[in-house]
Amino acid sequence: MDTSSLSRLSHKRLMATFHVEAQRGEQDLYRCITLSPRGAAVSNFGELIVRVPPTPIAPPQLLRSGPTYLIIQLNTNSIVGDGPVIRREIQYRASQSTWMETHGVGSLTYKIWHLEPDTEYRISVLLTRPGEGGTGAPGPPLTSRTKCAGRRHDGLSPDTRSTLLFLSPTSCPSPSLTNLKRPPRGGVTQASGWICLPHVSHRAVSLSTMTLPFGRALKPMRALRGLTAAEIQPRQLALQWEPLGYNLTRCHTYTLSLCYRYSMPTGGGGGSNNATVRECLSVERNTSRFTLRDLPPFRSVHIRLALANPEGKRESREVTFQTEEDIPGGIASESLTFTPLDDMIFLKWEEPVEPNGLITQYEISYQSIESSDPGINVPGPRRTVSKLRNETYHMFSGLHPGTTYLVSVRARTAKGFGQTALTEITTNISAPVFDYEDIPSPLSESESTITVLLRPALARGAPVSAYQVVVVEEDGSRQVRRRELGGVDCFPTPTSHSEAQAKGAPHYFTAELAPSSLPEATPFTVGDNHTYNGFWNSPLDPTKNYLIFFQATSNFRGVRPGFLFQTR
């Protein structure tokens, strides 16, 4: 061994320092041998045993907490290292602080006093075995929070910091003094500005070095007040309330929630069935304003505030606000129902699903955009009609037959017009009209023919598709007369002369003329033995009487007969 590792304790004693490499559990006997010119000296054997300081395996367990204390169980049944454990200590600090304190513990449970309310602490256990360096590393920490502050037993608020003195029992004023007060519980006696603790046995200390105990933790002092609307819009509310403080929350840890509800109709506009929408939103700490968005217009919104700390919750009374009106939603296109006629349309609609206020009127606009009648100019002028809020129907009159109209309907509130619902409606076509001022007379006649004057018909809503000359056999003398026939009196099914004879039908089509072949009044001979568009104009039988009809038809979007005249 190098002599540099020797140190002289006295003229007769030397101390040598050296390192031994060993592992846990190893043990051996060591002795020192000293050589000199005069001889050698040998020491007794010394036993060296390698031990590891103990450390708890598990963190301590929390038994109970209060505003200024934590009661824990050390939980040191299982350890890492070697025993025996001769001393136990608690080491703790606030999570946000670097200051640490260590207390010796004489039992398996321990109450840590004088803590700050609503503060998180980290607590570990230290174990010590016999011998120098026998204290192990701190065990796993327990992280726990003290409860919120309650009422103090001395009658002072948590924020009070008075300079009172603690005196020994012998220095306390007599309990018989009239101004002596004793709280309901706690063992603290207060008299004339002095506080006497029965367990203080020596000099007085100032209050700044000791913490008076708090009572049980309490929920927030009261519910929040002063909930008002700073600004009201159709779809949002800007809310405000009284500022938050520790004297109200009683805790540094708290949550503030804004809960609201409103009703929405489940059916169409004006429906009686409503569904309630409910939601609670978290509000940031240290704020007294919040904007509630995405609300329905012109709706009553019921709002309350809920202030909660770890000990409980206080809810404010419910306050009702109403959002402003907005422009209405669109009228559903499927709610538009209509009945078209020749020159009229009956239209009906429903109130918007989202009226967003009080409907003041409806506006209906219409314009012709297409017509099967070449005599109609399209697009036509746009016309507008206003209806009262309770009139959800309209009869359009003075329209053109066979014409398509673009119709729009929109609702209005005090904020303006809403979206427009559009639909296209086509009026029915009308029967063509013949311009006969008087009963037409035959131009000439023979034994097997009759010549008449055919005039073109006036189209109404659709162009004339074809003209037909129809012959009906009838007894009696020949006379001529003119009449208008309804739809049931016309001849919609073409029947040739041969088909009529085979079926025994009393009438047949003797000719079909194209509109282009009749640009103006033209004579036509019935029975001239010619064929017109596939129909044979058979000669008439002199022994029979005939009714001769002339009809015009339109085949646009269906067949409609026109005006007929009859010759007997």
Side-chain angles (χ1 to χ4, degrees):
M1 180 180 295
D2 189 359
T3 57
S4 62
S5 62
L6 296 177
S7 60
R8 184 178 295 275
L9 299 180
S10 66
H11 68 285
K12 292 183 178 182
R13 304 186 71 180
L14 296 175
M15 183 180 68
T17 303
F18 57 93
H19 296 279
V20 177
E21 293 184 2
Q23 296 180 353
R24 179 186 177 188
E26 292 184 357
Q27 65 181 64
D28 209 339
L29 298 177
Y30 292 82
R31 67 179 178 180
C32 296
I33 301 176
T34 304
L35 300 177
S36 70
R38 298 182 179 180
V42 180
S43 70
N44 295 330
F45 281 99
E47 184 177 21
L48 176 63
I49 303 175
V50 180
R51 301 295 186 197
V52 176
T55 300
I57 294 178
Q61 295 179 343
L62 179 67
L63 298 181
R64 197 172 68 181
S65 63
T68 59
Y69 68 87
L70 295 172
I71 299 178
I72 63 171
Q73 184 183 50
L74 271 59
N75 195 21
T76 57
N77 292 334
S78 299
I79 64 173
V80 175
D82 299 310
V85 176
I86 61 173
R87 186 171 71 251
R88 295 175 176 85
E89 295 173 296
I90 291 293
Q91 189 179 77
Y92 67 93
R93 69 177 178 87
S95 296
Q96 304 299 325
S97 174
T98 58
W99 176 83
M100 185 175 294
E101 191 167 337
T102 303
H103 294 175
V105 180
S107 62
L108 296 180
T109 60
Y110 186 72
K111 185 175 186 178
I112 307 176
W113 283 94
H114 312 309
L115 305 180
E116 289 294 326
D118 190 30
T119 303
E120 185 180 83
Y121 287 89
R122 297 172 64 87
I123 307 166
S124 301
V125 177
L126 296 174
L127 300 179
T128 303
R129 68 174 309 278
E132 185 178 353
T135 301
L142 163 68
T143 302
S144 183
R145 179 180 291 273
T146 52
K147 292 189 175 182
C148 301
R151 297 187 182 90
R152 294 173 63 132
H153 288 315
D154 58 2
L156 301 175
S157 69
D159 296 328
T160 303
R161 293 293 182 265
S162 302
T163 55
L164 303 177
L165 295 179
F166 291 90
L167 305 178
S168 64
T170 57
S171 303
C172 284
S174 171
S176 62
L177 294 176
T178 57
N179 59 356
L180 182 64
K181 298 179 181 179
R182 180 178 297 277
R185 56 184 182 275
V188 178
T189 303
Q190 180 178 350
S192 301
W194 301 88
I195 294 181
C196 301
L197 300 178
H199 300 292
V200 178
S201 59
H202 51 85
R203 64 184 180 86
V205 294
S206 66
L207 181 61
S208 61
T209 61
M210 298 188 69
T211 304
L212 287 173
F214 290 90
R216 63 183 179 85
L218 298 176
K219 57 185 179 180
M221 179 71 70
R222 57 172 172 79
L224 283 171
R225 299 172 182 168
L227 177 60
T228 57
E231 184 181 9
I232 299 178
Q233 295 185 14
R235 299 180 184 273
Q236 68 180 38
L237 293 171
L239 305 170
Q240 62 184 16
W241 52 87
E242 65 175 324
L244 286 171
Y246 186 83
N247 60 339
L248 184 60
T249 63
R250 285 180 171 169
C251 244
H252 298 298
T253 303
Y254 66 89
T255 60
L256 178 59
S257 300
L258 187 147
C259 300
Y260 65 96
R261 63 180 178 89
Y262 57 85
S263 297
M264 289 291 291
T266 57
S272 58
N273 297 326
N274 291 329
T276 301
V277 178
R278 302 176 185 270
E279 189 173 359
C280 285
L281 302 176
S282 179
V283 180
E284 293 183 3
R285 291 164 53 91
N286 302 321
T287 184
S288 57
R289 301 178 69 90
F290 188 83
T291 300
L292 197 56
R293 306 180 189 276
D294 299 326
L295 298 174
F298 201 62
R299 190 75 56 183
S300 295
V301 184
H302 311 278
I303 303 174
R304 57 183 171 84
L305 295 170
L307 177 62
N309 63 20
E311 305 305 322
K313 180 170 67 172
R314 299 274 192 185
E315 293 188 355
S316 69
R317 66 181 182 87
E318 198 170 64
V319 183
T320 301
F321 303 95
Q322 180 163 303
T323 53
E324 291 186 349
E325 288 186 274
D326 200 357
I327 60 173
I331 297 173
S333 298
E334 55 269 19
S335 74
L336 298 178
T337 59
F338 52 86
T339 302
L341 302 175
D342 293 353
D343 56 356
M344 294 186 295
I345 296 175
F346 180 74
L347 177 67
K348 189 175 182 181
W349 62 90
E350 294 181 1
E351 181 180 297
V353 177
E354 297 179 356
N356 297 336
L358 294 176
I359 302 297
T360 57
Q361 72 173 88
Y362 292 98
E363 183 185 83
I364 301 97
S365 298
Y366 63 101
Q367 180 185 23
S368 59
I369 59 174
E370 183 184 2
S371 180
S372 57
D373 189 343
I376 304 299
N377 294 323
V378 290
R382 187 174 186 84
R383 296 179 173 86
T384 302
V385 179
S386 295
K387 306 292 289 186
L388 299 177
R389 62 181 304 269
N390 59 346
E391 293 180 332
T392 56
Y393 59 89
H394 181 68
M395 176 66 81
F396 300 90
S397 59
L399 306 179
H400 298 293
T403 303
T404 300
Y405 289 86
L406 178 63
V407 180
S408 65
V409 184
R410 61 179 181 171
R412 182 178 184 176
T413 64
K415 292 290 185 177
F417 285 103
Q419 298 177 353
T420 300
L422 297 173
T423 186
E424 293 184 4
I425 308 174
T426 302
T427 54
N428 298 332
I429 61 174
S430 296
V433 177
F434 288 106
D435 185 16
Y436 286 99
E437 297 180 357
D438 197 1
I439 299 175
S441 300
L443 298 180
S444 63
E445 54 183 275
S446 66
E447 292 297 325
S448 60
T449 63
I450 298 176
T451 302
V452 295
L453 183 65
L454 301 183
R455 294 180 179 179
L458 178 65
R460 298 183 60 196
V464 175
S465 302
Y467 295 100
Q468 289 105 18
V469 179
V470 184
V471 177
V472 180
E473 295 182 1
E474 186 177 86
D475 294 335
S477 61
R478 293 181 179 177
Q479 296 179 357
V480 179
R481 66 179 180 177
R482 177 178 183 255
R483 64 172 180 168
E484 287 187 7
L485 299 179
V488 296
D489 296 327
C490 293
F491 305 94
T493 305
T495 304
S496 64
H497 181 270
S498 59
E499 291 175 340
Q501 286 185 333
K503 297 178 181 179
H507 74 277
Y508 62 91
F509 280 36
T510 194
E512 183 174 88
L513 307 176
S516 60
S517 65
L518 198 65
E520 57 185 13
T522 303
F524 181 80
T525 301
V526 179
D528 64 359
N529 201 26
H530 290 86
T531 300
Y532 298 89
N533 197 23
F535 294 95
W536 176 41
N537 189 8
S538 165
L540 302 178
D541 187 348
T543 62
K544 295 183 179 180
N545 294 330
Y546 295 95
L547 296 175
I548 299 175
F549 294 92
F550 182 48
Q551 70 178 18
T553 61
S554 295
N555 293 324
F556 184 79
R557 298 180 182 177
V559 178
R560 286 293 302 271
F563 182 88
L564 299 90
F565 76 83
Q566 167 190 329
T567 299
R568 176 176 289 176

